[in-house]
Amino acid sequence: MSIDVHSDEVLNLVDANAQVEKLGTGCQFTEGPVWNSKQEFLLFSDIPADQMKKWTAESGITDYRVPSGKSNGLTYDSQGRLIACEHANRRVSRTEVDGEVVTIASHYDGKRLNSPNDVVVKSDGGIYFTDPPYGLTAEFGALGEKELDFQGVYRLSPDDDGLTLLVDDFDCPNGLCFAPEESVLYINDSSDRMHVRAFDVQPDGTIANGRIFAEIVGEGGAPDGMKTDQDGNVYVTGPGGVWIFDASGKRLGVINTPEGATNIGWGESDWKTLYIVAKTSLYRIRCKVAGVPVC
């Protein structure tokens, strides 16, 4: 059974008989899926292979960008420009309309970032990203020394005019996402803390009132990729698959996956397909409630 039911409420989100479908395999370690709604394809990262991959129903998985800077988290801004966290280059990049890839964040207070990991764009154009040290290895980035003595979460202003440190007390900040109305920012910690925190988003784009939203405890995984649906439910990859919580933090169920799930992304024209990257493979499952569109 694909769904581990902890509350019958989860059956309002995913059908009891819904199946996780494998779409392709052969990757080394997948991350960062994002749906391109204009051209109807999925992008995702294969970090150790230093590749961005593309999936379409017609062609399956093909190469999209090689090398990729060992990209991890991917998203699009409101102009349809690709935003990528690049471990090897220790930066956040943006692909302009003409195809030029430019750096939009690489340093804070004169020091190099650790290895930007996951990213989300607010409707006002602000770019929020996490910066753990996972990419400071040869396999998942490039050998390097930490220049900052913390693992931060940042906001890049809509006009690219400044990088603001939002919070610096995470062990390993990883996945992040907004509630549908963008009043709350969820950020998870993939260290021994194994939890998701919620923060109130302030009018100036900063965050406040951090509190533990949910704990994700189990063997064989850690909180990683994270998304919300249009009803405010929170989906987090963790031990066993994709954990689903309601907006109060109540665990509703788990979508079981054949491999350890690393990240997720909504897609298709109705935004009701949940794409799941799980180490070597790409999967999907149909849901009943639409996810929050990327752009």
Side-chain angles (χ1 to χ4, degrees):
M1 187 175 181
S2 292
I3 310 302
D4 185 4
V5 177
H6 292 265
S7 166
D8 286 344
E9 295 171 57
V10 77
L11 300 179
N12 297 323
L13 308 179
V14 187
D15 189 272
N17 297 315
Q19 296 297 311
V20 173
E21 176 190 5
K22 179 183 280 190
L23 300 176
T25 191
C27 300
Q28 296 181 37
F29 193 95
T30 54
E31 262 287 1
V34 63
W35 182 253
N36 186 307
S37 59
K38 295 180 176 63
Q39 299 181 54
E40 298 187 333
F41 63 79
L42 187 83
L43 284 185
F44 64 96
S45 300
D46 187 350
I47 302 176
D50 199 11
Q51 299 172 351
M52 282 187 202
K53 296 291 192 178
K54 175 181 177 179
W55 177 87
T56 65
E58 296 78 19
S59 303
I61 297 175
T62 57
D63 290 345
Y64 181 78
R65 179 179 294 172
V66 182
S68 65
K70 293 193 175 177
S71 64
N72 189 332
L74 308 172
T75 194
Y76 288 100
D77 66 13
S78 61
Q79 299 180 48
R81 298 175 297 185
L82 180 65
I83 309 296
C85 291
E86 300 181 13
H87 279 187
N89 296 320
R90 298 173 72 166
R91 70 174 183 173
V92 180
S93 69
R94 180 175 64 217
T95 304
E96 304 292 358
V97 176
D98 63 3
E100 181 185 7
V101 181
V102 301
T103 299
I104 57 175
S106 60
H107 291 72
Y108 175 75
D109 198 24
K111 298 178 181 179
R112 296 187 73 185
L113 297 173
N114 299 320
S115 57
N117 189 86
D118 208 354
V119 61
V120 64
V121 180
K122 195 168 177 285
S123 59
D124 66 1
I127 298 173
Y128 294 69
F129 66 93
T130 55
D131 188 40
Y134 291 133
L136 299 180
T137 67
E139 182 180 8
F140 287 96
L143 286 174
E145 298 295 325
K146 279 172 55 67
E147 296 184 15
L148 297 164
D149 59 3
F150 56 86
Q151 288 68 244
V153 180
Y154 298 88
R155 173 183 181 266
L156 182 65
S157 65
D159 55 8
D160 299 346
D161 193 37
L163 192 62
T164 300
L165 176 64
L166 300 175
V167 60
D168 65 0
D169 65 344
F170 279 77
D171 281 346
C172 285
N174 199 326
L176 74 173
C177 64
F178 285 105
E181 73 289 348
E182 298 183 332
S183 62
V184 176
L185 179 66
Y186 299 100
I187 309 169
N188 62 47
D189 199 327
S190 294
S191 69
D192 292 339
R193 295 176 181 176
M194 297 282 281
H195 64 218
V196 179
R197 278 194 253 173
F199 296 82
D200 296 325
V201 181
Q202 305 301 294
D204 64 356
T206 58
I207 57 177
N209 305 320
R211 64 271 185 193
I212 294 178
F213 169 76
E215 295 185 340
I216 299 179
V217 179
E219 297 296 324
D224 196 335
M226 187 159 51
K227 297 292 185 291
T228 54
D229 67 23
Q230 293 188 359
D231 288 348
N233 301 295
V234 181
Y235 300 65
V236 190
T237 60
V242 182
W243 294 41
I244 305 176
F245 300 88
D246 69 12
S248 73
K250 175 184 176 181
R251 182 166 62 152
L252 304 181
V254 177
I255 300 172
N256 297 309
T257 54
E259 303 175 68
T262 56
N263 212 327
I264 49 179
W266 295 105
E268 304 296 340
S269 59
D270 61 2
W271 295 97
K272 289 185 179 180
T273 295
L274 187 66
Y275 287 93
I276 305 168
V277 288
K279 295 191 177 175
T280 66
S281 307
L282 171 66
Y283 300 86
R284 70 179 172 188
I285 189 170
R286 287 290 291 173
C287 298
K288 296 181 178 180
V289 176
V292 175
V294 172
C295 62

